[in-house]
Amino acid sequence: MDKNAKMLKKVRVMADYQFGKGCGEIMFPDDSTFQLSRTKRIRQIMSQGKRIATVRARDGTFTLSMDATTAIHKHIPAPGSRVTVCDDAVPFVSKGKTTFAKHVTAIDPELRSGDEVLVVDENDMVIATGQLVLSPEEIEALDTGAAVDVRCGCEQ
């Protein structure tokens, strides 16, 4: 097995662990290429010159591009890995602005603070991706504060 095939297998297993079985195959096509750090660890996964995901150095989890977010969204049934926001917040969140707790109408109860999430509108259309700041219980209990630190929106 060549080096690229080993790295592809590794990132697919990591994606299956983080997002659920089968997500690795969907996120990372066979033509995926890798950018390595100075210590030869995988940092970015690319396909056709576009970034699919980045491996976060501090915890080894993925941060997603909008392409990867859309692919995962099609594979994971609702409410998996999703934070649903009200229609009033959609224009702001889709531009990459922070999602606040008061705008969240539904959330996957299995999520934990720090997880990479898909931000969707009321019709389950992907509008952004980011990192969950609060736990689902905190979001439901609080009406103030940031809920999702949005990394990128669909209109960026």
Side-chain angles (χ1 to χ4, degrees):
M1 184 182 281
D2 72 326
K3 202 171 192 173
N4 210 47
K6 279 185 179 176
M7 287 191 279
L8 182 61
K9 184 176 181 180
K10 181 178 182 175
V11 296
R12 283 178 172 171
V13 168
M14 290 166 61
D16 286 352
Y17 171 76
Q18 187 174 346
F19 299 107
K21 193 165 175 60
C23 286
E25 287 281 328
I26 290 163
M27 282 173 59
F28 306 118
D30 292 333
D31 72 344
S32 296
T33 57
F34 304 91
Q35 286 184 352
L36 305 178
S37 68
R38 282 182 280 143
T39 58
K40 305 295 182 230
R41 290 196 172 130
I42 299 168
R43 279 297 158 246
Q44 292 197 356
I45 302 93
M46 317 282 275
S47 178
Q48 300 169 356
K50 293 174 73 179
R51 181 184 78 89
I52 301 171
T54 301
V55 180
R56 240 187 320 213
R58 73 180 145 96
D59 60 7
T61 58
F62 290 114
T63 62
L64 304 175
S65 68
M66 281 308 295
D67 293 336
T69 303
T70 304
I72 288 175
H73 177 262
K74 291 175 186 169
H75 179 71
I76 301 174
S81 295
R82 289 172 174 78
V83 174
T84 306
V85 296
C86 64
D87 291 334
D88 295 344
V90 170
F92 303 103
V93 175
S94 64
K95 288 187 176 96
K97 306 287 185 200
T98 301
T99 302
F100 290 98
K102 67 180 178 181
H103 297 128
V104 174
T105 57
I107 186 168
D108 178 2
E110 299 293 313
L111 291 171
R112 295 183 310 267
S113 176
D115 283 353
E116 192 73 9
V117 295
L118 319 176
V119 183
V120 297
D121 65 12
E122 298 279 352
N123 300 319
D124 199 37
M125 299 296 295
V126 176
I127 58 170
T129 181
Q131 185 178 9
L132 196 61
V133 178
L134 302 171
S135 70
E137 295 81 23
E138 290 171 323
I139 290 172
E140 289 170 8
L142 302 173
D143 248 3
T144 61
V148 178
D149 183 13
V150 174
R151 188 164 288 103
C152 62
C154 62
E155 290 181 23
Q156 282 185 314

